[in-house]
Amino acid sequence: MSIKKWLKEVSSTVEEVNKIDKRYYKKYDIKQGLRNADGTGVVVGFTKIGSVHGYTKCDGKKIPTEGRLFYRDIEIGELIEKTGKFGYESIIYLLLFGELPGKRNLRDFNAILDRFRKLPPHFTENTILKSPSNDIMNKLQRSILVLYSYDNNPDCLDIEKILLQSIKLIARFPTIISYGYQAKAHYFDNQSLYLHNPKKGIGTAANILHMIRADNKYSKLELDTLDLLLILHAEHGGGNNSAFATHVVSSSGTDTYSAVGAAVGSLKGPKHGGANLRVRAMIEDMKENIKDYGDEKEVKDYLIKILKGEVFDKKGLIYGMGHAVYTKSDPRAEILKEKSLELAKAKGRVEEFKLYNNIEKLTKEIFKEIRGEDTEICANVDLYSGFVYDLLNIPKELYTPLFATSRVASWCAHRIEQVVSDHKIIRPAYKSIKNEEKCNFEDIKR
């Protein structure tokens, strides 16, 4: 018997013996996805690094509010106003050290990042070029784990050592994803291979554009936009999947490379960092099937078909809409929407911006019509981030890796917080259900 035939025969059995009746979760009040019945997250710890606010609670009821996002108790809009050139580098400093840097501290910190942007000797050839991956997140995760071998004391848990490891990873992420993309494009897409060394004194966003573009050219608007994206993606509280993964893995006492590698694996998932690619795919499908982006009726009718599972991927989801915490608005989406319009005007693509704007506007209308006037749903950051990446001529293979490049500063901050503040291994419980158990579900609403 061939392995393919055997797998086909046994896979249905494997699926069946591992399936748990969903009614058990209600019977035993199990919080699926660590979510309460109203969708709010189960509180499992404390953090000083960031906070996300999208609702209030009154008499146990969830009350929608305008979204607010804080990095170290500073609201995101205020942060953007306070940070000028090297905005993302200022955010890294804030997340790691708890305060925004002065001019001298920022200058010195940028010099330290520049010192580590280049990869170790032979790393590019042996780790990236000799084993390219069709998925840059996979390449990024593997590269992080290989860097463990280049560390003379990788398992040390002294904060001084973890901080150095963190700064090196933050500095090297842009180079790894840029070179990983070039290797992928050369090996799988038959494109010319060009590797530009990172430059000193220009910062993270400029280095990314410098390393992924053949001509090294970019406008100030493009640079400012990418820097803004990095700022907006840098932190989102301890409860998002990748930050929580960092806490969980770090609680075991393992090394920095394993913890950050786990976070990358989490962000790779389409329900987390990979969501922007689902938005991009949905938009491409809508472009093929909608004649006039400005025709609200035509757009609305197609969105209803998506929601009913009749078109696109038939999963009944309008990607880029809705969030686990934000209800009335996602502040990141609000900021990015304004910037995307500015960039769309510069690129002559305002008509396309109208499609995104109509998706946001009309999805809200549809949900109110279906679920009642009190229903609140907002655009999340993924709706506009994919559009901005596209306007910046950034290949879709780099959408999620750029998210990781921004978020690694947060992961490192959360790892340090876990190591410093909570010495217990995170170890929740799972209730065992015997196969032969005959559970009475009569009292449970089906």
Side-chain angles (χ1 to χ4, degrees):
M1 181 185 296
S2 69
I3 185 67
K4 185 176 181 180
K5 185 176 180 181
W6 178 79
L7 283 172
K8 188 173 182 179
E9 287 184 3
V10 301
S11 60
S12 58
T13 301
V14 171
E15 183 177 354
E16 185 60 34
V17 299
N18 285 286
K19 190 177 293 183
I20 294 175
D21 194 313
K22 291 187 181 297
R23 291 175 294 181
Y24 279 115
Y25 293 96
K26 187 167 185 179
K27 180 177 178 64
Y28 295 107
D29 193 29
I30 301 299
K31 312 292 187 182
Q32 272 190 288
L34 289 180
R35 303 278 187 89
N36 296 306
D38 62 359
T40 59
V42 175
V43 178
V44 297
F46 300 96
T47 183
K48 292 181 177 180
I49 298 165
S51 57
V52 184
H53 300 276
Y55 56 85
T56 59
K57 279 205 162 185
C58 182
D59 297 327
K61 187 178 179 181
K62 184 176 172 182
I63 311 297
T65 61
E66 298 294 339
R68 302 179 73 188
L69 172 62
F70 298 83
Y71 295 2
R72 295 285 188 183
D73 293 329
I74 305 175
E75 196 155 11
I76 189 65
E78 182 183 347
L79 271 176
I80 292 168
E81 290 179 4
K82 285 184 174 181
T83 56
K85 187 179 180 182
F86 303 120
Y88 176 61
E89 286 73 22
S90 297
I91 297 302
I92 299 170
Y93 192 97
L94 171 68
L95 294 175
L96 290 178
F97 303 109
E99 62 181 8
L100 286 169
K103 289 183 179 180
R104 181 176 178 179
N105 285 340
L106 181 58
R107 182 194 65 205
D108 293 344
F109 186 58
N110 276 331
I112 292 171
L113 289 173
D114 281 341
R115 181 177 178 181
F116 297 122
R117 290 194 190 280
K118 289 187 71 173
L119 299 174
H122 312 298
F123 184 92
T124 299
E125 180 181 359
N126 294 332
T127 303
I128 297 179
L129 298 182
K130 286 186 176 179
S131 56
S133 175
N134 210 21
D135 190 301
I136 312 306
M137 288 294 282
N138 170 266
K139 171 52 63 181
L140 176 60
Q141 189 175 37
R142 284 194 281 153
S143 297
I144 294 164
L145 298 179
V146 172
L147 284 171
Y148 176 99
S149 301
Y150 287 78
D151 192 323
N152 60 7
N153 192 8
D155 293 300
C156 179
L157 294 182
D158 292 346
I159 295 305
E160 183 178 336
K161 180 65 174 180
I162 293 177
L163 183 59
L164 178 60
Q165 292 168 335
S166 298
I167 290 171
K168 285 183 176 181
L169 285 173
I170 292 166
R172 288 167 174 169
F173 261 47
T175 312
I176 292 171
I177 67 165
S178 299
Y179 287 6
Y181 170 71
Q182 301 300 351
K184 180 264 177 191
H186 176 66
Y187 186 83
F188 293 100
D189 304 329
N190 296 314
Q191 295 182 21
S192 297
L193 177 66
Y194 53 90
L195 300 177
H196 303 307
N197 287 328
K199 294 176 68 175
K200 292 183 178 181
I202 66 173
T204 303
N207 260 304
I208 291 169
L209 294 172
H210 161 72
M211 288 189 285
I212 67 173
R213 293 185 173 181
D215 60 7
N216 307 129
K217 295 179 180 179
Y218 49 87
S219 68
K220 184 180 184 302
L221 177 58
E222 289 178 319
L223 174 58
D224 290 346
T225 302
L226 183 55
D227 191 60
L228 176 64
L229 273 167
L230 294 174
I231 291 172
L232 292 175
H233 278 133
E235 160 62 13
H236 214 242
N240 68 82
N241 195 270
S242 56
F244 184 55
T246 308
H247 278 278
V248 171
V249 177
S250 293
S251 77
S252 73
T254 194
D255 63 279
T256 298
Y257 305 96
S258 294
V260 175
V264 170
S266 164
L267 195 73
K268 180 176 179 290
K271 295 180 182 179
H272 192 8
N276 49 30
L277 288 172
R278 299 310 302 156
V279 174
R280 166 78 181 262
M282 181 186 76
I283 293 296
E284 292 303 315
D285 177 79
M286 294 183 75
K287 285 180 182 178
E288 292 177 3
N289 292 281
I290 295 175
K291 295 179 181 179
D292 183 0
Y293 302 157
D295 186 334
E296 292 190 8
K297 184 180 184 307
E298 187 179 4
V299 175
K300 186 174 182 177
D301 288 345
Y302 201 76
L303 287 171
I304 292 171
K305 289 180 182 179
I306 291 176
L307 203 57
K308 288 181 177 179
E310 297 174 355
V311 293
F312 183 43
D313 62 2
K314 300 185 178 180
K315 292 185 178 180
L317 298 172
I318 298 176
Y319 296 98
M321 295 298 299
H323 192 269
V325 179
Y326 297 124
T327 52
K328 286 190 172 183
S329 63
D330 178 341
R332 303 167 303 168
E334 297 287 309
I335 294 167
L336 203 54
K337 178 180 180 179
E338 183 179 338
K339 196 68 175 180
S340 69
L341 177 57
E342 181 184 357
L343 194 58
K345 288 177 179 177
K347 301 277 186 175
R349 294 174 63 179
V350 175
E351 286 301 311
E352 193 171 346
F353 171 83
K354 290 179 181 177
L355 175 58
Y356 288 84
N357 188 56
N358 278 334
I359 289 171
E360 178 183 3
K361 173 186 174 183
L362 298 172
T363 300
K364 291 178 180 180
E365 288 184 9
I366 293 168
F367 270 76
K368 286 185 179 294
E369 290 169 4
I370 295 174
R371 300 181 182 179
E373 281 298 318
D374 292 335
T375 303
E376 296 287 354
I377 186 172
C378 66
N380 60 54
V381 70
D382 291 313
L383 181 64
Y384 291 100
S385 66
F387 182 43
V388 171
Y389 285 141
D390 189 33
L391 289 169
L392 291 172
N393 295 317
I394 290 173
K396 64 181 181 180
E397 294 94 334
L398 283 171
Y399 288 10
T400 310
L402 281 171
F403 192 163
T405 297
S406 169
R407 188 60 65 86
V408 65
S410 168
W411 295 333
C412 291
H414 279 282
R415 169 168 169 75
I416 292 170
E417 188 177 63
Q418 180 68 38
V419 172
V420 169
S421 300
D422 191 349
H423 300 149
K424 281 196 172 185
I425 186 170
I426 296 174
R427 204 283 187 196
Y430 272 68
K431 184 176 180 62
S432 175
I433 298 175
K434 297 178 181 178
N435 290 332
E436 69 271 18
E437 179 180 350
K438 302 296 182 183
C439 183
N440 182 13
F441 291 115
E442 291 180 3
D443 58 333
I444 302 176
K445 292 182 179 180
R446 295 174 180 257

